[in-house]
């Protein structure tokens, strides 16, 4: 099982660590952080793919990227009322914020491979997912 020290040092790409994707204030408050640490190895590989193909290229261009929501255990997904089939539960998605989100959204849309790209609530955050077998480049706006 992963712990905080391992997660903080586990590099998914040049600038992203596993910790950024599994940490959760909500899980901590609810006493379910242990489930976040119990992330299956295939889901870690999915996070690596997401970082390598979308988030690291975005980071290289726009600087710091903050992960609002990355991997979600089933318990966390239920607690936050996430979609029952959320890609977050498989390590395939992240909700992100960074400087110049509108430009970054267009950059992802035009230059990177992704499964879903969602402008959430007028760029309050961007949801982006990557699936090596199903990158349909679906672009949506919610809220």
């Amino acid at each position: 099982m992963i712990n905080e020290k391992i997660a903080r040092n586990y590099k998914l790409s040049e600038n992203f660590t596993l910790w950024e994707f599994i940490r959760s204030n909500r899980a901590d408050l609810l006493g379910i952080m242990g489930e976040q640490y119990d992330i299956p190895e295939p889901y870690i590989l999915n996070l690596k793919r997401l970082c390598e193909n979308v988030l690291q290229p975005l980071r290289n261009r726009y600087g710091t990227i903050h992960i609002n929501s990355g991997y979600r255990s089933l318990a966390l997904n239920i607690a936050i009322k996430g979609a029952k089939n959320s890609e977050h539960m498989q390590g395939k998605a992240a909700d992100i914020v960074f400087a110049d989100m509108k430009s970054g959204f267009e950059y992802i849309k035009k230059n990177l491979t992704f499964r879903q790209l969602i402008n959430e609530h007028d760029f309050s955050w961007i949801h982006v997912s990557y699936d090596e077998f199903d990158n349909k480049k679906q672009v949506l706006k919610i809220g």
Side-chain angles (χ1 to χ4, degrees), residues 28-44:
D28 203 27
L29 286 171
L30 294 171
I32 57 174
M33 193 60 203
E35 294 191 33
Q36 288 293 105
Y37 291 128
D38 196 19
I39 180 172
E41 191 66 35
Y43 296 175
I44 295 172

Side-chain angles (χ1 to χ4, degrees), residues 97-115:
V97 293
F98 56 97
D100 203 1
M101 299 233 311
K102 290 179 183 177
S103 173
F105 187 89
E106 288 302 313
Y107 177 77
I108 296 168
K109 186 167 110 176
K110 293 176 181 172
N111 298 289
L112 302 176
T113 301
F114 58 90
R115 184 174 191 284

Side-chain angles (χ1 to χ4, degrees), residues 6-81:
I6 291 169
R8 284 183 181 275
N9 292 301
Y10 194 114
K11 290 277 207 177
L12 296 171
S13 71
E14 181 183 352
N15 296 108
F16 290 98
T17 65
L18 181 58
W19 177 247
E20 294 173 84
F21 291 86
I22 64 171
R23 67 161 173 69
S24 167
N25 292 337
R26 188 73 171 274
D28 203 27
L29 286 171
L30 294 171
I32 57 174
M33 193 60 203
E35 294 191 33
Q36 288 293 105
Y37 291 128
D38 196 19
I39 180 172
E41 191 66 35
Y43 296 175
I44 295 172
L45 183 57
N46 289 339
L47 289 171
K48 280 184 151 188
R49 290 181 183 124
L50 175 63
C51 288
E52 291 167 355
N53 291 285
V54 182
L55 300 179
Q56 188 62 51
L58 193 64
R59 165 70 166 77
N60 293 346
R61 185 173 180 92
Y62 291 93
T64 301
I65 307 237
H66 179 76
I67 310 298
N68 282 349
S69 182
Y71 170 71
R72 296 180 195 152
S73 65
L74 176 60
L76 179 58
N77 197 62
I78 290 169
I80 66 164
K81 298 181 172 116

